[in-house]
Amino acid sequence: MAKPRLRKSKQQWRDGYNKKVRIDLSKDINLMSQIIVDEIKSGIDEGKDINGKNFKKLKTATIKQKIKKGYPLTPLKATGKMQKVYVRKRATKDKQRAVVSMPLIKRGDIGFYHNEGKGNLPLRKWFGIGKVARRRLDKYIKLRIRNLLRL
């Protein structure tokens, strides 16, 4: 007669794995999240989206409003609130996850609409991880894990 197979639940497997392999990448994750924040801010300064493409030009009515209020003519830069992107939650040894967030004021809603291209706002992908940054970060973390596993 065949022996019954004992199956571990996902949680039991995860607990056993965590006891055996303990890799702390919290510092690396925090560094990567700060790189993402810096890239978003520099993209807004340069007028480029997360993939390196120029933002869509402003409409003439928007340009007139910005001149009247004394704001710069670069998209997403009027009050400077879109550039206040920050790392909301930093990674720790126990929770190896960082959260990058945009300001939660009314401008955050407008930033979301720009990022999604909703309403009458043109699509301007300014918040997120671009293709170039994703490749760089993937390469960095793979090398880091490889080096840690060699130890």
Side-chain angles (χ1 to χ4, degrees), residues 33 36-37 40 85-89 98-102 127:
S33 63
I36 293 167
V37 167
I40 292 171
V85 176
Y86 63 100
V87 179
R88 186 170 46 139
K89 289 185 181 177
V99 178
V100 175
S101 185
M102 67 175 85
F127 187 86

Side-chain angles (χ1 to χ4, degrees), residues 8-137:
K8 289 185 177 183
S9 69
K10 286 183 181 179
Q11 187 61 42
Q12 288 171 329
W13 184 86
R14 221 176 280 132
D15 290 343
Y17 179 79
N18 286 338
K19 288 177 187 173
K20 293 175 187 168
V21 179
R22 207 61 185 158
I23 298 176
D24 183 15
L25 296 172
S26 59
K27 291 178 185 174
D28 302 302
I29 293 169
N30 289 329
L31 175 70
M32 290 189 296
S33 63
Q34 192 57 50
I35 289 170
I36 293 167
V37 167
D38 293 341
E39 264 198 28
I40 292 171
K41 288 179 180 182
S42 69
I44 293 173
D45 281 339
E46 296 169 10
K48 297 187 182 260
D49 68 5
I50 58 174
N51 295 317
K53 296 178 183 175
N54 290 331
F55 287 140
K56 290 185 179 178
K57 294 187 177 185
L58 297 171
K59 295 179 182 176
T60 52
T62 308
I63 292 172
K64 287 178 184 177
Q65 283 179 348
K66 285 184 172 235
I67 291 172
K68 188 176 180 181
K69 293 181 180 180
Y71 291 147
L73 298 179
T74 310
L76 302 176
K77 224 178 156 183
T79 60
K81 291 181 182 176
M82 296 295 181
Q83 291 181 307
K84 293 183 179 174
V85 176
Y86 63 100
V87 179
R88 186 170 46 139
K89 289 185 181 177
R90 298 185 62 77
T92 62
K93 189 175 183 179
D94 295 327
K95 288 191 175 183
Q96 297 193 29
R97 178 180 165 208
V99 178
V100 175
S101 185
M102 67 175 85
L104 297 176
I105 47 181
K106 189 178 178 189
R107 285 277 169 206
D109 296 338
I110 295 168
F112 172 76
Y113 293 134
H114 272 290
N115 210 45
E116 299 296 318
K118 293 192 176 189
N120 62 348
L121 296 172
L123 175 67
R124 294 187 177 111
K125 282 273 193 195
W126 66 280
F127 187 86
I129 305 173
K131 293 175 185 175
V132 175
R134 185 177 303 271
R135 273 188 254 130
R136 283 181 40 211
L137 295 174

